Amino acid sequence: MSNILELRELSVEFPTRHGTLKALNEVSFSIAAGEVVGVVGESGAGKSLTGAAIIGLLEPPGRVSGGQIMLEGKRIDNLTDEQMRPIRGKQIGAIFQDPLTSLNPLYTVGHQLTETIVTHLPMTWSQARARAIELLEATGIPAARERIDHYPHQFSGGMRQRVVIALALAAEPKLIVADEPTTALDVSIQAQIIELLKKLCREQGAAVMLITHDMGVIAETADRVVVMYAGRVVEIGRVHDVIHSPRHPYTVGLMGSIPSVHEHVERLVQIDGSMPRLTAIPSGCAFHPRCPHVMPRCKSERPELQQVGTTRAACWLQASSEVA
Ligand code: SF4
């Protein structure tokens, strides 16, 4: 399968008065056509920042300071805002937690959809409007023919997020970056929205980067998972393998936070402490102050990702068990 997105040792930094803060540190992974890759971690892990770097919307003074972002084999991290804008509309679709970020309250959803389509696809306004109705129907909006002329505020939160998905897919992008797309929604609606996103992307052959703090969402949706901690990838592999046999203690901790519907258990394992601030990333393995398995070398030597079974993990524990 060909890669739609490829990150090669992507680093992002923020120059500040007190020195330069490294927010992403050599992040590498790829997403193939039709594949859903979940990027998971607590708040501050760098997952949303990775998404923002890909869509070219890093908040200044944040900037890509190293590595490359390749979209269908072409480098996009060195493009200007002006060069990036058409790519963001046509080749990359974005879905954010709050649908109102993506929708203009002053225009009907039909106007916004139709305009996006005529901007990026060779269609007349009336062809694009017909396509907009199809898209709304595909996302499960009832009575799409009438609702197309409604304004964003006339939709419920769940319905509005469906409109945003329609908008993100309108130009038939190759890559969808979805950042916590269901976090603001009721649990019952979350599953429907995720299922819908997955189905539509599969049908269009789009690659999906699904950013979430929720390992449960990843378990149900993604093909592969990238676990991030303090701006680095600490584990990467197929979802099935990572969930059944997590190799990094941080992943084990995140796994413990999947709520079990059947057993009515909310949290099985707690990870004590919190994600370090960018100004105070611990030496060696950044997870060491919170790790139940910390060893002396963890405090001074940083582990790199290495193959462990079918997955890759950055942890000295794996290195010692491999040697043993
Ligand atoms: Fe824990 Fe050490 Fe592994 Fe880091 S390298 S996760 S501190 S065992």
Side-chain angles (χ1 to χ4, degrees), residues 248-249 285 287-288 291 293-295 298 303 314-317:
H248 195 285
C285 170
F287 188 58
H288 84 250
C291 182
H293 306 285
V294 59
M295 300 173 278
C298 304
C315 172
W316 291 125
L317 212 56

Side-chain angles (χ1 to χ4, degrees), residues 215 218-220 225 238-246 255 258:
M215 203 58 160
I218 301 268
E220 281 173 31
V225 58
R238 297 200 61 79
V239 167
H240 176 272
D241 301 344
V242 171
I243 283 182
H244 286 90
S245 168
M255 292 295 308
I258 297 183

